[in-house]
Amino acid sequence: MHNNKARFLAAPYLLWMAMFIIVPLAVVLFFALTDPSTGQFTLGNLSRMGNHLQTFGDSIWLALVATVVCLFVGYPVAYAISKASDSQQRLLVMLLMLPMCMSFLLRTIAWVAMLEDTGLINRLFNAIGFGPFRLIRTPGAVVLGMVYNYLPYMILPLHSVLAKLDKHLIESAQDLGCNSKNVLAKVILPLSLPGIIAGVTMVFVPAVSTFYISQKLGSSGTRLIGDVIEEQFKQAYNPNLGAALSLVLMILIFLCMWIMNRFTDSDEVLLV
Amino acid sequence: MKKFNKIFTIIVFVFLYAPIVLLIIASFSGGRGLNDLRDFSFHQYRELFRDRGLMQSMLNSLLIAVLSSLIATVLGTMAAVGIHSMGKKMRSVVMSVTNIPMINPDIVTGISLALLFVFFGRMFRINNIMGVFTILIAHITFNLPYVILSVMPKLRQLNKHLTEAALDLGCPPAKAFFKVVLPEIMPSIISGGLMAFTMSLDDFVISYFVSGATFETLPVQIYTYTKKPLPGRIYALFAVLFTLILLVMLLMNLLQLRETQRRNRKLVMPTNDL
């Protein structure tokens, strides 16, 4: 009896989410399917997707590269942290979370300054007799910006899985004659799959939809889909086209998530 | 291998902190910009505290973060308790909707809310609908899942028999909730609320789309500044915020440490008595 009443405690939340999650998505759909000037139903906005195919492709490619780099850089770090003592782990996790709480706009601006032709990195190269290299306004700089901003989002879920890993499983594998390479490949990696999936999602989604990083570190050649969407709302003012682009981006991401979740048995997606 | 891992980790942390260190050094510089560091001075800090606009948006950000995280914590905790007592099917539907703002890119969440507000504005003929309320609604919306996802696992771990025992002993359900369930789930409510607070304080993308000229949060104002060469007081602002967040984090760490120490002592005590 008690349970039936407790259910109604969720009512305000359900109302809120219907109003501010479901209805807004319906509004996006509505804008995507109507003409900006006449307000009539049209597929015109969606048919203009063809012009932005290249941008979609570039965004997915750069975000994918950044995600892979984050995974390969993040995994050893998460592993090293999970091996430290409890108090050290707590400190290191705090040090990972600290940059996440600081304005990513300003931290990206600091990278702009460091990567400039006369910036810190080129001056260092100069001092040892190399360069100057063209670093800023390249696809590489955009990937660097993505890796820099989203690396903690990869390390944290990996660490939380690795720290909880049952040590007896590793020991028994070793006792049964498994060498260290096989322990990693057959025991540790498969068990940390939920962390990998969570980390990949938490890096890929913001990276593929970013507009600030590409604005500051990229050039006109690395305009990403986030930049195009932002322009529709803040400059060109064509919210209908922007809504259509957002709709396609959203469907794309949900598709990726669905495919990725096929790879794991658990139906629960681990977040944070 | 072990040594390599350690050195690699140190390099990664240097990579993460290099821009932060550069910004903090720049806050004490009398030069122009991040590549012209010279003449140590506190000039930028004096400028910062004289800048009414920046101070105002800092207060705005704090106000929104406090209000939105408080409202989200109350609504979200209620929701978690409600969802917990739902049937399996209903629960999985509600949790899928809860996950939407977590999975959706911020830009899509921001735009969908912006379009909703524009739609409202047209319907009720409100000019300049974007302001404090649109930002507050947006922040509550993206904060709610953090609270729910933090409280739900704790509720699942809870010993059901404790509540049943309280009810059997004649405790009314509401009192049983406040006396038995709430103290148990309090730590995860607090950590969910704190997470919501930091998310709200730091959010740029969603706020950017739902804010107007009348009410700007700090990240949105910083964005306007980054379109031109940055004035030096912004670096001072960064350094001040860094110090504040560092202090808060150290404090939380310390509290956590004392909590675990106390718990360990409690666990050890009975065996000592024997």
Side-chain angles (χ1 to χ4, degrees), chain A residues 214-228:
Chain A
S214 43
Q215 241 175 47
K216 289 295 164 189
L217 293 166
S219 61
S220 55
T222 54
R223 239 161 54 106
L224 301 185
I225 197 64
D227 296 299
V228 180

Side-chain angles (χ1 to χ4, degrees), chain B residues 11 16 31-32 58 77 99 102 126 144 171 187 200 265 274:
Chain B
I11 293 174
L16 285 176
R32 271 176 304 173
M58 211 187 315
T77 307
N99 269 323
M102 304 288 284
I126 309 168
L144 273 164
C171 192
S200 165
R265 223 174 294 148
L274 291 173

